[in-house]
Amino acid sequence: MSRQQQQIQGVVLTGYHSNAELVPQTRLCASSCPQVPPHVPQTAEPSRKTGHYTLQQNQNTQHGDRYGPSDPSSSSAPHPRSQPSSSPKLGSSPRQSPNSRPRPPPTYQRYNSQDSLDELEMDDYWKEVENINRSGGGAPRGEGGGDGEVQEEEQQKTPEEGEQEEAWLTEAGLQRLFDDSLAADQDQEVDSAVFLSTLTRTQAAAVERRVQQTLRRRNWQHLPDVRDIFRPPEKNEEPHKLKGGSENGQNDSSSAEMETELNVEVAFSEQALSYRDNHQRLKVTASPSSPDDKLPNFKLLRDKTGQTRIGDLSPLDMKKVRRLVLVEMTALFDTAGIDVKAHKAVKVKTKETGLFGVPLHTLLDQDQRRVSGTKVPFILQRLISHIEDEGLDTEGLLRIPGAATRVKSLCQELESSFYDGMFQWQQLKQHDAASLLKLFIRELPHPLLTVEYLNAFIAVNKLPTKKQQLQALNLLVLLLPEANRDTLKALVEFFQRVIDHQAKNKMTLNNVSVIMAPNIFMFKGFRSKVTEQQEFSMATRTANIVRLLIRYQNLLWTIPKFIVTQVRQQNMESQRKQHKERAVRKLLKKITTEKPPERPIPEESSQGFIRVQAPQFSKISMAVQLTEELQAADVLTRFISQDSSVAVKKEELCLYETGGNIKERCLDGETYMKDLFQLNPTAEWVIKAMQR
């Protein structure tokens, strides 16, 4: 990065200057309470370290770069007005730089995309970093791993120029767009053609951009015309417009309540493009000091065809979802002018057995051999349940660390006796259990949010609105490997249960976020790869991401309707092509020009009834009349009332939409059956136990 590029970054944290002050004992104890074990009597007024960050405001700030580099491994020179400090010793934090000197507290200008993170008790973040270093779980900058630990290889590798675009196209299943040397595979060509035919304009632009960059890298003498790949819009075809012409699907002057509604029927990147174009046309600029103290109460616009959650679709359709989400996520960042540099995961020497420091997929393999269908490692499940069994009212839960030597000893005991059932859980103190939980996350050989997408999660902060940040996180959660996604979900659900007891434990959303951020983002060897300035910059950004993951978890684990619609379109287009190919092979040539025969609609359906199948139960099927108010939950209730032999609970059953333009989909209980039937009239309807 050049000096000129460094100087255009907006706010630079150049140091932390600490002092000591006495805190009255009668105050309410929040996250800033001293870390004193409950058994130690508080006979004197506690003292705590406080301080301030030194900030420097650059007048040449550009919107696209105001948050600094999103790549934690990229080099960053010291700020022109700040002196580089020496590397801290083990157990030290960035705020304890020996070269820092007290200065008057500056006026802090808060950017609205940071969402008032300056008001969080960031002091707890650095305390947590110190605790991590004391426990040997994190190496200071410029040093290797913990005690006795040798990092065999780098965990992440920055791709060469142009290599990233080629890897991206390969991940999206579009390598034939740039590599003619691949063996001719008609099915793959058809698949690529079907996939491209369903893309929106912003999604197509993201693919087109990376095709061109990849071809330039390969030094092609003749670059193909992009019109050979993408159909240009017809002259009379107007670009897709959102209702009301704004990102929110409403007029720009709409009320704050309407602005919190999430439109999931239109691609997020298309909404972002409309938002950007409107703001450029109206010359609207976001004020750095505009109030944004509270996270909006977002809600999904109700869809009568039902909400689709992760796990509702078949594996075949989920593969299509992942490809579409990858393209959509990239298009969303492209629209905001954010270039996210993805790292490539590099193999590291890891343990093949055990609990701590074992890859997630290895842990799940050994757990699934004991209980099939396990989605979250047993050790994490057991630690969470133990903490909850001890009660979530404990003050400072997650914040107050256990004794480092005791936690290390407990870790060794768990390694040797957990699966044998000989570990003495009744002797495990609650704060020690919380420390073990955080240790488990940090010790994963690769970060929970994955090497490939860690920078993208951090770059979410650069998006201009909270709505776009939430949309990007939704897409990133969908992109995570299943093991990482399920483990992350178990964690954020647990964090929310802790926050629900904040009146007693003093752990608010902000407190939990700043404590957990370094544990989630500071993977092995992280601090040896970043500068002090980068670590300061990342502190509030990573805490903000954890806040959003916890606060909006009910929205983030859903599949947006526009993605499901594109999957339906792909299935329909594939079926049409398959029908046409059969006609070519079996019938006369003229038949290929005729419309392929569609699956006949059952006579019952044409008369306002559907036939619901239940092959797993004694009542094999039943006819259900479609009404305007009939929901999927009503069908299940009617089925259970008519079949007394059903031993499973209603909550364990699901009405599945099967065939037609979807492979298989477990229906949300509030799905209106008549609306869904009109969307997929040739589907079959099957009741069976949930397959999750």
Side-chain angles (χ1 to χ4, degrees), residues 186-235:
Q186 188 174 4
D187 290 339
Q188 190 178 40
E189 288 184 359
V190 170
D191 176 70
S192 296
V194 169
F195 180 80
L196 293 172
S197 69
T198 62
L199 299 183
T200 66
R201 59 176 174 172
T202 48
Q203 292 171 353
V207 174
E208 178 184 330
R209 176 185 175 191
R210 280 148 188 86
V211 169
Q212 295 283 29
Q213 290 172 334
T214 301
L215 296 181
R216 289 193 187 95
R217 173 178 177 265
R218 288 174 165 247
N219 295 322
W220 278 35
Q221 298 298 322
H222 172 67
L223 297 180
D225 194 324
V226 294
R227 289 173 294 183
D228 295 336
I229 303 175
F230 301 99
R231 178 187 64 85
E234 300 293 338
K235 292 183 179 179

Side-chain angles (χ1 to χ4, degrees), residues 282-348:
L282 300 174
K283 297 182 179 180
V284 177
T285 56
S287 171
S289 59
S290 60
D292 193 10
D293 294 335
K294 295 182 179 179
L295 294 177
N297 186 26
F298 288 117
K299 61 181 180 181
L300 292 176
L301 291 174
R302 190 61 202 161
D303 176 18
K304 284 198 165 187
T305 60
Q307 187 180 93
T308 305
R309 302 192 67 83
I310 294 174
D312 287 347
L313 295 180
S314 69
L316 285 175
D317 280 341
M318 278 305 295
K319 287 183 180 179
K320 296 183 178 71
V321 166
R322 197 183 186 286
R323 292 177 67 189
L324 288 164
V325 166
L326 175 63
V327 175
E328 172 63 16
M329 184 270 291
T330 307
L332 179 59
F333 280 114
D334 282 356
T335 303
I338 301 170
D339 186 18
V340 179
K341 294 294 184 184
H343 287 287
K344 293 197 306 182
V346 177
K347 289 184 179 180
V348 294

Side-chain angles (χ1 to χ4, degrees), residues 321-378:
V321 166
R322 197 183 186 286
R323 292 177 67 189
L324 288 164
V325 166
L326 175 63
V327 175
E328 172 63 16
M329 184 270 291
T330 307
L332 179 59
F333 280 114
D334 282 356
T335 303
I338 301 170
D339 186 18
V340 179
K341 294 294 184 184
H343 287 287
K344 293 197 306 182
V346 177
K347 289 184 179 180
V348 294
K349 186 176 180 180
T350 59
K351 295 164 57 179
E352 296 181 358
T353 58
L355 301 174
F356 296 85
V358 180
L360 270 181
H361 63 85
T362 303
L363 269 176
L364 288 173
D365 284 345
Q366 64 187 25
D367 289 348
Q368 288 168 356
R369 286 195 290 269
R370 292 173 170 84
V371 178
S372 62
T374 301
K375 291 183 176 294
V376 178
F378 286 158

Side-chain angles (χ1 to χ4, degrees), residues 435-447:
S435 294
L436 285 168
L437 181 145
K438 293 186 288 187
L439 178 65
F440 171 81
I441 300 171
R442 294 195 308 271
E443 286 292 301
L444 290 172
H446 289 297

